Amino acid sequence: MKTARILKLSTLCLALTFIAGAIVIYPERYINSCFQGFALWAECVLPSLFPFMVITLIFIKTGIAEKASLPLKKVTGLFSLPPAAAVCFIMSIFSGYPAGTRIVAEFYDSGCFSSSDCKKLSALCSTSGPLFIIGSVGVKMFGDKSAGWKILAAHIIAVLSVGLILSLLIKRGETREYRRAPADKNVLYNSFYSAVISVAVAGGFIAFFCTAGQIIADFNVLFPLEKLLSLFTDEASARAVCRGLTEATAGCRSLSETDGKLTLPFTGFVITFGGISILMQQLGYLLKTKVGAAYFISVKFLQGLICFLLLLPFAL
């Protein structure tokens, strides 16, 4: 275990040193990449994430979400899920990354969910939002609202199918002792404050990984993967997909600027998988619920693959 930890830390140290060195050597290029990342966040992510983040936090802090879940107890019980699962999924769908996993972590902290509940819900409540997929990707990037609707439908089906199957396969653990939080006398301010912090952190992730993604592309770090993808699509689309594996929003924009036949399925995969940036944001909330990184990344890859296959008929 100690050797594995040393290896992980050494790899991380080398990667960060490599990124820092590239920025020092080519500051004019990568400072601009960082700025573009923040611009992308402000244009495409902030408008679609912030309003729903505020709404979901108010629902949770006031106890509305907890009460609304009670009538759905029988439905969620069919899939061995806790009563609040349906409400968590709905709030996740409307809010988008990484709000769903934050909601799961909030319920875990309150004692409503066990770690096995969180393992199931990490697959079910890891979704992008309709404003991002339809508005930012469909309308702004692709100039086609119907493309956004197609991606959204495939995305939801992929997440639901994998999430519900895992819910049936994974045994439900014992619910932890419920600790009702004291009444929040300043719900509105605290909800806005938490939402601002969460959305600002998301912007930092996007800016950093946009910069890292550009460095990875410039130094051909993912060249073998690009060549493998080039067997199935054009080189520009292959590069765009690799960009999306680092930062999903930038990858979607790059894909929208190509004219490859598989652009729509690849975009669905990138959004559903999430890329390193979104995965790291979600794992920041999930790790304290004892959901393993390898498990979660594998689930997201499977969901991304199913989304790709669902969108494939529209590309043929």
Side-chain angles (χ1 to χ4, degrees), residues 176-221:
R176 297 155 65 242
E177 181 183 355
Y178 180 61
R179 304 183 301 278
R180 183 179 294 277
D184 191 340
K185 296 181 180 179
N186 201 354
V187 171
L188 192 62
Y189 175 83
N190 289 333
S191 296
F192 269 87
Y193 179 82
S194 296
V196 167
I197 296 298
S198 296
V199 174
V201 169
F205 269 93
I206 291 172
F208 177 84
F209 283 101
C210 270
T211 308
Q214 187 62 62
I215 293 170
I216 289 170
D218 288 347
F219 287 86
N220 292 315
V221 175

Side-chain angles (χ1 to χ4, degrees), residues 19 26 29 31 40-41 50 75 86 105 107 112-113 147 152 157 159 173 178 183 192 218 264 275-276 282 291 314:
I19 293 171
Y26 303 106
R29 179 166 180 76
I31 288 175
L40 197 61
W41 165 76
F50 179 71
V75 177
F107 276 102
C112 288
F113 295 163
L152 178 63
I157 292 170
V159 171
Y178 180 61
F192 269 87
D218 288 347
L264 195 69
I276 296 174
Q282 294 180 97
V291 175
F314 296 105

Side-chain angles (χ1 to χ4, degrees), residues 31-47 140-141 203-204 206-207 210 249 253:
I31 288 175
N32 186 54
S33 294
C34 186
F35 175 79
Q36 288 176 351
F38 276 118
L40 197 61
W41 165 76
E43 180 185 359
C44 299
V45 178
L46 179 60
K140 286 188 177 181
M141 295 183 189
I206 291 172
C210 270
T249 309
R253 171 156 287 179

